[in-house]
């Protein structure tokens, strides 16, 4: 259970994550109910009680009726307008404007269901734990909240995303040195998720090429459909032609070490270019030279 971990700011991880959820505008009592993660990961069986605790400690407060107006649907705004005796006609902006001029005491009764928002204290706590929240929400990067706290404490002036990149890069170097190719490949995937989430598609594509190279040169060579689709996605976002894809892949694969020296570096670049261009029949022709590669990916590609 993660909630044994207390952040440097003195808050339990569950409190930090509840603050994050309170920024979404649906707590308390979200339309689809509370996700099971609160109990399975944090041991919280009564989320409303946990939220009340944050409220008592001054981290969150209920929004005022006027603060709720932009969150309401047009039918809800019309109902509130009718309740306070103002015109219920017009578009959403017109209804909000009309209701915003109603005295607070009258409007409070017309809009009873409120949602939480962060107080100044809560906002400060939320911002100071942004790196922890990122680590929890991006499990693909494979950096724990605890390790994230250590990295930030050691390098407080460096942006935490840069710290994650440095951490992952150092792991890749270590795994390459020890020839732990599976770990090396998985950390490249973590690096991909980090930069892809930042829309850095050029760097993301480079990570995918490296992953692909490891996959086809492993003890059990294979082509992962998910990796192929991601390469196609990145290449499309970068507007790469087939020739440009080949040249990029070739630059990245030449001289790269892997578990096995099975597939020729130039062939790897060629296969990637053909896969990105979705010229699958040509891929089949190239793969006849490499019968050990698992061919089942053809069945899974769209």
């Amino acid at each position: 259970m993660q909630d044994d971990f207390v952040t440097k700011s003195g808050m339990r991880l569950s409190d930090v994550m509840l603050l994050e959820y309170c920024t979404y505008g649906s707590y308390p009592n979200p339309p689809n109910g509370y996700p099971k993660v609160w109990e399975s990961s944090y041991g919280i069986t009564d989320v409303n009680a946990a939220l009340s605790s944050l409220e008592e400690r001054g981290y969150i407060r209920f929004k005022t009726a006027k603060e709720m107006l932009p969150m309401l649907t047009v039918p809800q705004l019309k109902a509130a307008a009718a309740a306070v005796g103002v015109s219920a006609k017009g578009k959403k902006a017109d209804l909000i404007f009309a209701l915003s001029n109603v005295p607070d005491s009258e409007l409070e009764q017309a809009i009873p269901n409120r949602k939480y928002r962060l107080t100044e204290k809560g906002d400060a706590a939320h911002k100071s734990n942004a790196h922890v929240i990122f680590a929890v929400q991006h499990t693909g990067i494979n950096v724990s909240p605890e390790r994230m706290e250590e990295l930030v404490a050691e390098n407080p002036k460096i942006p935490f995303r840069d710290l994650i990149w440095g951490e992952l890069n150092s792991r890749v170097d270590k795994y390459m040195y020890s020839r732990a190719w599976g770990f090396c490949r998985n950390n490249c995937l973590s690096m991909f998720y980090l930069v892809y989430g930042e829309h850095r598609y050029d760097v993301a594509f480079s990570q995918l090429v490296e992953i692909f190279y490891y996959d086809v040169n492993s003890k059990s060579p294979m082509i992962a459909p998910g990796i192929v689709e991601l390469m196609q996605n990145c290449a499309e976002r970068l507007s790469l032609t087939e020739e440009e894809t080949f040249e990029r892949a070739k630059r990245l694969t030449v001289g790269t070490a892997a578990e096995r020296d099975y597939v020729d570096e130039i062939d790897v670049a060629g296969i990637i270019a053909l896969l990105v261009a979705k010229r699958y029949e040509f891929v089949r022709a190239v793969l006849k030279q490499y019968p050990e590669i698992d061919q089942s990916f053809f069945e899974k590609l769209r």
Side-chain angles (χ1 to χ4, degrees):
M1 190 176 298
Q2 298 181 32
D3 212 31
D4 292 335
F5 170 54
V6 177
T7 70
K8 298 293 183 183
S9 63
M11 298 186 74
R12 287 191 175 278
L13 190 56
S14 59
D15 286 340
V16 172
M17 294 311 298
L18 280 170
L19 289 182
E20 169 68 8
Y21 274 73
C22 283
T23 66
Y24 302 157
S26 61
Y27 275 35
N29 306 315
N32 296 322
Y34 294 113
K36 294 181 179 179
V37 68
W38 294 118
E39 183 172 4
S40 61
S41 293
Y42 305 106
I44 298 176
T45 56
D46 189 341
V47 179
N48 283 337
L51 289 167
S52 295
S53 174
L54 282 175
E55 183 183 6
E56 290 167 6
R57 286 178 281 158
Y59 288 103
I60 58 176
R61 66 167 175 81
F62 280 107
K63 292 185 176 184
T64 65
K66 287 184 178 177
E67 289 173 335
M68 286 292 299
L69 292 177
M71 300 178 60
L72 301 181
T73 63
V74 170
Q76 289 172 328
L77 288 168
K78 287 185 175 181
V84 295
V86 300
S87 174
K89 297 180 180 180
K91 297 181 179 179
K92 183 171 183 177
D94 300 321
L95 292 166
I96 291 174
F97 178 77
L99 287 166
S100 65
N101 291 311
V102 174
D104 291 346
S105 57
E106 294 180 33
L107 200 59
E108 294 293 318
Q109 300 299 319
I111 305 174
N113 296 320
R114 308 296 172 77
K115 299 298 179 181
Y116 280 120
R117 61 162 294 168
L118 304 190
T119 62
E120 186 175 342
K121 178 181 177 181
D123 188 54
H126 181 256
K127 289 178 179 176
S128 69
N129 285 290
H131 56 290
V132 175
I133 295 168
F134 186 88
V136 171
Q137 294 183 328
H138 296 79
T139 54
I141 64 171
N142 198 27
V143 177
S144 70
E146 294 87 343
R147 179 56 181 156
M148 196 69 254
E149 282 275 73
E150 291 174 0
L151 291 170
V152 170
E154 293 166 4
N155 308 276
K157 294 184 179 180
I158 300 177
F160 70 80
R161 286 177 174 81
D162 292 345
L163 294 175
I164 294 172
W165 183 263
E167 170 80 358
L168 296 173
N169 206 33
S170 66
R171 290 182 192 174
V172 169
D173 290 342
K174 179 181 71 175
Y175 293 136
M176 287 183 70
Y177 180 78
S178 62
R179 304 182 70 80
W181 302 112
F183 288 112
C184 189
R185 185 260 192 205
N186 290 339
N187 270 273
C188 285
L189 186 58
S190 295
M191 295 171 81
F192 161 77
Y193 282 123
L194 178 64
V195 292
Y196 186 79
E198 297 171 349
H199 310 297
R200 296 164 59 190
Y201 302 115
D202 192 27
V203 183
F205 183 76
S206 298
Q207 294 302 315
L208 292 170
V209 169
E210 195 166 348
I211 291 165
F212 187 91
Y213 188 83
Y214 290 137
D215 285 348
V216 296
N217 283 296
S218 65
K219 286 184 179 179
S220 301
M222 51 88 71
I223 296 176
I227 297 300
V228 173
E229 289 188 13
L230 288 169
M231 285 197 298
Q232 291 169 340
N233 179 277
C234 286
E236 182 179 348
R237 291 175 182 274
L238 294 168
S239 300
L240 297 180
T241 64
E242 185 176 339
E243 183 178 352
E244 290 170 335
T245 301
F246 173 74
E247 290 300 326
R248 283 184 181 233
K250 185 173 68 173
R251 288 197 301 270
L252 292 163
T253 56
V254 171
T256 301
E259 188 173 19
R260 293 181 57 189
D261 186 16
Y262 178 53
V263 184
D264 177 82
E265 297 163 341
I266 303 302
D267 273 359
V268 171
I271 293 169
I272 289 172
L274 290 170
L275 286 169
V276 165
K278 300 184 180 180
R279 299 174 67 187
Y280 300 132
E281 290 307 310
F282 290 93
V283 177
R284 289 181 191 273
V286 175
L287 291 182
K288 288 181 180 179
Q289 304 173 61
Y290 304 103
E292 291 183 40
I293 295 179
D294 182 1
Q295 304 286 309
S296 64
F297 78 97
F298 283 116
E299 303 168 6
K300 300 174 184 176
L301 286 172
R302 288 199 289 265

